[in-house]
Amino acid sequence: MLAIALGAFALVVTEFLPVGLLPDISRDLGVSEGTTGLVVTATALLGAVAAPTATVLIRHLDRRTALLGLTGLLIVSAMLSALAHSFLLLIVARIILGIAVGGFWAISMTAAGRLVRPEKVATASATVLGGISVASVVSVPAGAYLGAHADWHIAFAAAAVLGAVVMAVQAVVLPPIPMDQKVSLSSFAGLLRLAPIRIILLTVVLFVAGHFIAYTYITPMLQHESGFGPTAASALLLGYGIVTCLGNFAGGYLAARGLFRTVLLTAGLFAVSLLLMAAFTTTAPVAVIALAGWALAWGMAPVATQLWLFNTSRHASEAAQAMNTSVFQLAIGLGSLTGAVIVNATAVHGASWAATAVLAVATAVVLLARSRTAGASGQEPPATETAPETAPSAGQPGLAAR
């Protein structure tokens, strides 16, 4: 389980490393910061395609072999990124990483579940997702720090070394993990025919896309708009990651007492925080407060939406996991792409306003879902909803990033 969790850690670190390096990559390769954000878009879009595709194509492949192969793709991507002196080569490297990311999320949870007794499946999933949580805390501030004190290529070289260490550990400790999943294309079609599933996935898209419209450009936003230096900005990003983890715990605690209320609270906190960031970016103290609220909402969002999805798709949880991964990665790509267009057309500051608008729509969608549920049942949605036995525990930190 820890070997798989290390793979999760290495993938997420490498996926979001460019967010902290954005100004340095932009300056070195001679492209705008908006265009540079496409390195995040490319990885996410390929991840969105790879997740359901891998679930279907490799359903009979031994998971040990698959995990080693996907970690190998991570190493190749990081090495190419470290050697990239053109934007085109960097994009190609990030596309390769997208295949690794999507494939990994499609199989890692079920692979971890096969390594333990049935009653320990939730713990196994949480352990793997713990790698995501830790990586989400360190990836962006680590990138910002390395960008401030060394060449950005060094950051990707370090990611390649990390990937090699992880692959060596996996090769030594992972046993054969034979699988025979029953996921097919019809499984995804059946889920999409359900209106509640479509509403949940739409909420996920709005949450994640709204977040990444602004988050992709958070480093230049803090440095250019709020006036923080590189060291202060990297410290704020580290604090952002820590608050995100706290938001995960808060989201799990609140979701156990009222899932709809938690989703609605998350949407509202998201929208208000980004509105404050947009309106008071140049006022450093307010920007810091807005950043903390934003981080808290981002920590709560994946917990609430994943529990919401699992509670609605108990009959097809494996397909739902792959679909959630695909939608999540697609939303990252859409968000960072939208942010790139806005930043190129206006300025970094415009991304915050666009993100605020998207999160306002998300809040409206959650309110609509609540009213439809209440209207159909003649009463308010139940105050307490629990995750299925095979879902990760809501209180585990691993859900902070997925």
Side-chain angles (χ1 to χ4, degrees):
M1 287 191 302
L2 291 175
I4 299 175
L6 282 174
F9 173 82
L11 279 165
V12 173
V13 164
T14 310
E15 181 176 8
F16 295 120
L17 204 56
V19 175
L21 297 166
L22 208 64
D24 305 278
I25 296 173
S26 170
R27 186 168 49 252
D28 186 49
L29 298 184
V31 295
S32 69
E33 289 181 344
T35 301
T36 306
L38 295 177
V39 299
V40 179
T41 304
T43 301
L45 292 181
L46 263 293
V49 174
T53 304
T55 305
V56 175
L57 293 181
I58 63 174
R59 60 184 180 273
H60 298 301
L61 184 66
D62 186 282
R63 289 301 181 257
R64 180 183 186 276
T65 303
L67 289 169
L68 287 171
L70 292 167
T71 305
L73 288 180
L74 160 65
I75 298 170
V76 171
S77 170
M79 290 178 63
L80 287 177
S81 298
L83 296 172
H85 290 282
S86 71
F87 187 67
L88 178 60
L89 181 57
L90 183 59
I91 286 291
V92 170
R94 301 295 293 177
I95 287 173
I96 294 172
L97 180 64
I99 297 171
V101 168
F104 188 91
W105 298 130
I107 68 172
S108 58
M109 299 306 156
T110 51
R114 290 295 295 269
L115 294 174
V116 298
R117 297 187 300 274
E119 64 271 18
K120 297 293 185 180
V121 169
T123 302
S125 299
T127 300
V128 174
L129 289 169
I132 302 169
S133 180
V134 176
S136 69
V137 172
V138 305
S139 56
V140 178
Y145 181 83
L146 288 172
H149 297 87
D151 187 89
W152 63 269
H153 295 88
I154 299 299
F156 286 105
V161 172
L162 173 63
V165 172
V166 169
M167 189 174 186
V169 172
Q170 290 175 341
V172 171
V173 305
L174 280 180
I177 312 174
M179 296 291 292
D180 187 15
Q181 296 187 23
K182 298 180 180 179
V183 177
S184 64
L185 293 177
S186 61
S187 303
F188 302 116
L191 285 170
L192 288 174
R193 281 195 290 267
L194 301 175
I197 296 293
R198 295 197 298 269
I199 291 175
I200 295 169
L201 293 178
L202 175 60
T203 303
V204 171
V205 168
L206 293 171
F207 276 179
V208 178
H211 170 73
F212 277 96
I213 285 174
Y215 187 69
T216 303
Y217 302 95
I218 192 170
T219 301
M221 192 183 303
L222 291 174
Q223 293 182 8
H224 301 165
E225 303 285 343
S226 300
F228 294 103
T231 302
S234 62
L236 284 173
L237 290 172
L238 177 60
Y240 184 100
I242 294 171
V243 175
T244 296
C245 284
L246 296 176
N248 169 240
F249 284 103
Y253 176 84
L254 294 172
R257 287 153 180 78
L259 188 49
F260 265 102
R261 288 194 298 272
T262 303
V263 176
L264 182 58
L265 174 62
T266 301
L269 181 59
F270 239 145
V272 170
S273 298
L274 282 165
L275 176 61
L276 287 174
M277 179 63 75
F280 299 99
T281 305
T282 57
T283 307
V286 179
V288 171
I289 294 172
L291 193 67
W294 181 3
L296 189 63
W298 179 234
M300 293 169 61
V303 179
T305 54
Q306 187 166 346
L307 286 176
W308 193 9
L309 178 61
F310 270 117
N311 284 333
T312 313
S313 60
R314 295 173 184 266
H315 60 289
S317 60
E318 288 183 352
Q321 175 63 37
M323 186 177 293
N324 186 54
T325 300
S326 181
V327 167
F328 199 100
Q329 292 293 329
L330 178 63
I332 293 175
L334 290 175
S336 58
L337 178 60
T338 302
V341 172
I342 292 170
V343 169
N344 280 336
T346 58
V348 172
H349 189 66
S352 297
W353 286 110
T356 301
V358 173
L359 268 302
V361 174
T363 304
V365 169
V366 175
L367 285 170
L368 177 62
R370 184 182 182 90
S371 63
R372 286 185 59 178
T373 304
S377 63
Q379 57 185 4
E380 285 293 302
T384 302
E385 299 185 48
T386 58
E389 293 179 0
T390 56
S393 170
Q396 293 292 339
L399 286 170
R402 285 289 183 277

